């Protein structure tokens, strides 16, 4: 089942269950997906990899909002954003743990033959090509830097 189909099925289920917060979050996701499809025109609709990237961006922006709401002493808004994050993350693939991430970085360094920090871009590109869906590139960067002696 593609992500688009899962969004539709989950939306129907949440509407039938009268789960208003989940329904609102799913509607927000489908609206963002329509915007992304429109931006990709005249080409075909975006694929699942682009949808996953879109969902990661949505989750990241909400995490930043949670921090700002907590600093502004608005816990009710922070809780709403956290609920949206949990709905968004339910559609994302499982992320690698620290040990698997370190192993993937070592493998990418070996495959590319990178020896210095100047070749960090090659290693990051190899990681993204192989593990884009399950690897958080923001966390992988420091690991690659450390592996290359940076």
């Amino acid at each position: 089942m593609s992500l688009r189909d899962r969004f539709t099925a989950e939306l129907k289920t949440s509407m039938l269950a009268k789960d208003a917060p989940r329904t609102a979050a799913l509607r927000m996701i489908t609206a963002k997906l329509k915007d992304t499809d429109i931006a990709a025109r005249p080409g075909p609709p975006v694929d699942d990899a682009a949808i996953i990237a879109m969902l990661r961006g949505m989750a990241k922006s909400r995490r930043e909002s949670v921090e700002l709401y907590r600093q502004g002493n608005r816990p009710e808004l922070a809780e709403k954003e956290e609920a949206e994050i949990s709905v968004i993350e339910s559609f994302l693939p499982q992320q690698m743990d620290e040990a698997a991430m370190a192993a993937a970085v070592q493998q990418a360094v070996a495959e590319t033959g990178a020896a210095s920090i100047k070749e960090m871009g090659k290693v990051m590109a190899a990681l993204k090509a192989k593990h884009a869906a399950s690897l958080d590139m923001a966390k992988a960067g420091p690991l690659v830097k450390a592996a290359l002696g940076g």
Side-chain angles (χ1 to χ4, degrees):
M1 177 182 269
S2 74
L3 280 173
R4 288 174 193 275
D5 297 335
R6 280 186 57 203
F7 294 148
T8 305
E10 291 282 332
L11 182 60
K12 287 178 186 175
T13 304
S14 70
M15 289 171 74
L16 289 172
K18 298 188 183 337
D19 186 356
R22 185 168 176 83
T23 301
L26 288 165
R27 284 184 174 153
M28 176 192 51
I29 290 170
T30 55
K32 179 72 172 172
L33 181 56
K34 283 183 181 180
D35 287 345
T36 305
D37 282 339
I38 289 169
R41 285 184 185 164
V46 295
D47 60 351
D48 278 359
I51 294 172
I52 289 172
M54 176 199 76
L55 291 172
R56 283 212 174 102
M58 292 174 72
K60 180 181 177 187
S61 69
R62 275 156 189 74
R63 279 190 206 94
E64 292 168 357
S65 297
V66 166
E67 290 298 316
L68 293 174
Y69 287 142
R70 295 234 187 271
Q71 289 172 4
N73 199 23
R74 299 294 305 267
E76 70 283 356
L77 293 175
E79 289 172 16
K80 178 180 178 278
E81 295 288 323
E82 287 171 340
E84 289 176 0
I85 290 170
S86 67
V87 171
I88 292 168
E89 287 180 342
S90 70
F91 293 101
L92 290 173
Q94 189 67 31
Q95 294 290 306
M96 284 185 182
D97 62 349
E98 292 294 323
M101 193 181 307
V105 166
Q106 291 302 323
Q107 182 182 7
V109 168
E111 286 176 1
T112 58
S116 71
I117 196 71
K118 292 178 182 178
E119 297 171 302
M120 184 173 171
K122 284 199 302 190
V123 177
M124 293 298 283
L127 282 172
K128 189 170 185 175
K130 213 172 200 184
H131 306 286
S134 61
L135 182 69
D136 184 356
M137 298 307 282
K139 291 179 183 175
L143 291 175
V144 171
K145 198 175 221 180
L148 295 175

